[in-house]
Amino acid sequence: MMDAGLPLLEVTDLATHFHTQRGLLRAVDGVSFSVRRGQTLGIVGESGSGKSALARTIIRILSKRHTTTTGRITFEGRDLLTVSEPDMRDIRGRDIAMVFQDPTSSLNPVKQVGVQIEEVLARHLGLRGRAAQTRAIELLTSVGMPLPQERLHQYPHQLSGGMRQRVAIAIALACEPKLLIADEPTTALDVTIQAQILDLLHRRQKAHHMAMILISHDLGVVAGYTDTVAVMYAGQIVEQASTRSLFRNCRMPYTAALMRSAPNLSDPPHTRLRAITGRPPDMVLPPPGCRFEPRCDDATDICRNRRPALSASDADGTHRYACWHPVASPGASA
Ligand SMILES: Nc1ncnc2c1ncn2[C@@H]1O[C@H](COP(=O)(O)OP(=O)(O)OP(=O)(O)O)[C@@H](O)[C@H]1O
Ligand code: SF4
Ligand SMILES: [Mg+2]
C-alpha cells in the first residue's frame, strides 16, 4: 500500500489568519499533513473548523490583502506559497483541481457548459475546435451526464444541482489532475445523488491514480472513501490516522464525540454528525490550552493551560492525537 518516494503534497505548519475588524482570526493554525499519489485523505470537522480555509490556502485562492499565510505547502517539490502567480495559474486546474460544495459558485452562469469545459482544455492542454469538443463530450460521458452532446449548449441554470456538480467535476478532471480537492462536494445534493457523485469520484480516482483530499463534516463519507483521516478542530488537526485505525481506536475526546454521533460503519452512509454540546471557540481569541477544553468532559487544569501537541499513539507514528487525557478505548460501538 505504501508508495515509494516523496509525498505528492506536503503541508508543514501551515497557518492562515484572516484580518478581521476584531483582529486576526486563526482559521488554520499550525496544520501539517501529507498526501501520497493515488491516496485519499479525509478532512473532517464541524462547521467553522477551517476545512475550506485550508483547501483554499493550498490552491491559493484567498485574497492576499485579507489573509496572512505562513508555513510550507510542497507539491511535487515546489513550495506553492512562493511560486509566481503565472506558475500557480498553470498548476491550478492542471495539476491540482478543486470541486466546491456549491457548483453554481464555480460555474459561470452566462457561459454554455461546453464553452466552460473547452476553455480549460484550451488553456492547459492546447486543445481547440473539434478535438476539444470531442474531449468535452468524453468528459461529460465519463461523469455520467445523460445526453452529453446536448449539454454542451446548455447553461448551468438549465441543469439540476446534481448535473451541475457533474459538470464541475468534468471540468476539474479535464486535465487529469494529480490532486483533486473536493470540498463537501455532495453536501448540497440529495442522498441518492450524493452516493453517485462520491462513487464517481472514487472510480475516477482509482482509474487515474489521482490523489484526493475529501473534505466533509460527515463521518459516513469519510469512512467509506478515504485511506487516512485528519480531524480538524478550531483550525488545528487534533487527530490523524489511517481511516481504519481512527474508526477502531480513536484517542481524542473530540473525535470520540464525533464517533458517538455517527457511531457505526454499518450505519447508512452519509449519517449526519449530531451537534456536540457547546460551540467551537472564537478563533480570534482561542483558549490558550486545548481548544476543545471548554466542551470536554475529561478536561483538567493542564488542558486549560497547555496546548497538547500531536503525539504518536502507535509504534510507527501513523496514528497521532493531541490530548492530555486520551480515551483508552474506542466509543465506536457505544
Ligand atoms: N473570508 C473570510 N474572512 C474572515 N473570516 C473567514 C473567512 N472565511 C472563513 N472565515 C472564518 O474562518 C473560520 C473557518 O472557516 P471555514 O470556512 O474554513 O470553515 P469550514 O470548516 O469549511 O466550515 P463549513 O463546514 O461550514 O464549510 C470560521 O471561523 C469562518 O468564520
Ligand atoms: S486535552 Fe484535555 S480538554 Fe483537550 S480533549 Fe484532551 S482531555 Fe479534553
Ligand atoms: Mg467549508
Side-chain angles (χ1 to χ4, degrees):
M1 218 178 102
M2 295 285 283
D3 234 11
L6 293 171
L8 178 67
L9 175 78
E10 188 152 31
V11 170
T12 313
D13 203 18
L14 187 69
T16 296
H17 296 173
F18 291 112
H19 309 166
T20 73
Q21 287 186 335
R22 298 191 302 119
L24 282 187
L25 188 150
R26 298 154 190 271
V28 179
D29 208 17
V31 161
S32 301
F33 63 84
S34 59
V35 185
R36 294 181 176 278
R37 286 174 202 278
Q39 190 188 40
T40 299
L41 166 72
I43 296 183
V44 70
E46 284 169 299
S47 185
S49 54
K51 306 180 299 294
S52 297
L54 173 60
R56 286 162 191 263
T57 303
I58 294 170
I59 59 163
R60 253 177 57 181
I61 55 171
L62 291 169
S63 138
K64 273 211 170 110
R65 246 185 315 146
H66 300 114
T67 51
T68 304
T69 302
T70 56
R72 249 194 353 263
I73 304 171
T74 312
F75 179 78
E76 296 195 299
R78 298 165 85 189
D79 186 350
L80 297 186
L81 290 180
T82 57
V83 298
S84 68
E85 195 46 50
D87 283 352
M88 193 63 214
R89 275 200 295 272
D90 286 343
I91 292 171
R92 207 187 292 125
R94 187 191 62 198
D95 297 318
I96 307 179
M98 186 152 167
V99 177
F100 298 86
Q101 172 175 337
D102 178 8
T104 43
S105 64
S106 52
L107 296 177
N108 186 331
V110 298
K111 281 188 184 168
Q112 293 173 355
V113 162
V115 172
Q116 297 191 52
I117 301 175
E118 287 164 33
E119 275 175 1
V120 178
L121 296 171
R123 164 159 176 71
H124 292 295
L125 305 178
L127 278 185
R128 281 168 228 281
R130 186 155 295 274
Q133 201 180 79
T134 307
R135 179 75 183 127
I137 294 170
E138 271 172 27
L139 281 163
L140 286 176
T141 308
S142 76
V143 297
M145 182 69 100
L147 305 172
Q149 209 143 356
E150 290 169 32
R151 305 297 174 196
L152 292 181
H153 307 292
Q154 291 188 319
Y155 293 89
H157 75 265
Q158 294 174 291
L159 305 174
S160 68
M163 285 199 218
R164 279 201 288 270
Q165 195 59 299
R166 285 180 204 270
V167 173
I169 291 170
I171 291 173
L173 298 177
C175 305
E176 301 195 352
K178 294 166 185 151
L179 173 67
L180 179 72
I181 303 179
D183 186 358
E184 312 246 15
T186 61
T187 307
L189 306 173
D190 75 50
V191 175
T192 29
I193 310 289
Q194 282 189 18
Q196 288 172 11
I197 298 276
L198 288 166
D199 287 341
L200 162 71
L201 286 174
H202 190 64
R203 275 200 312 276
R204 295 283 306 206
Q205 185 209 355
K206 292 286 167 225
H208 294 274
H209 202 57
M210 176 176 79
M212 179 153 79
I213 296 177
L214 180 61
I215 295 174
S216 182
H217 57 267
D218 183 333
L219 271 176
V221 167
V222 162
Y225 295 94
T226 60
D227 303 303
T228 58
V229 177
V231 178
M232 266 188 102
Y233 186 75
Q236 300 175 334
I237 292 179
V238 293
E239 186 152 12
Q240 201 172 357
S242 72
T243 308
R244 195 182 163 86
S245 181
L246 188 90
F247 276 84
R248 284 194 167 182
N249 192 24
C250 77
R251 306 301 308 275
M252 204 319 193
Y254 175 65
T255 315
L258 293 183
M259 295 280 175
R260 277 194 299 274
S261 3
N264 294 310
L265 282 172
S266 55
D267 270 2
H270 321 303
T271 304
R272 283 271 177 145
L273 301 185
R274 229 177 28 226
I276 298 164
T277 321
R279 287 165 146 241
D282 177 0
M283 309 252 261
V284 175
L285 278 171
C290 171
R291 291 185 178 177
F292 189 53
E293 179 271 318
R295 303 167 78 184
C296 183
D297 293 338
D298 303 329
T300 62
D301 280 347
I302 192 173
C303 308
R304 268 181 279 286
N305 300 320
R306 286 181 53 200
R307 180 183 154 187
L310 264 184
S311 39
S313 84
D314 56 355
D316 59 5
T318 55
H319 190 139
R320 300 190 299 154
Y321 61 90
C323 181
W324 293 115
H325 311 299
V327 287
S329 60
S333 57

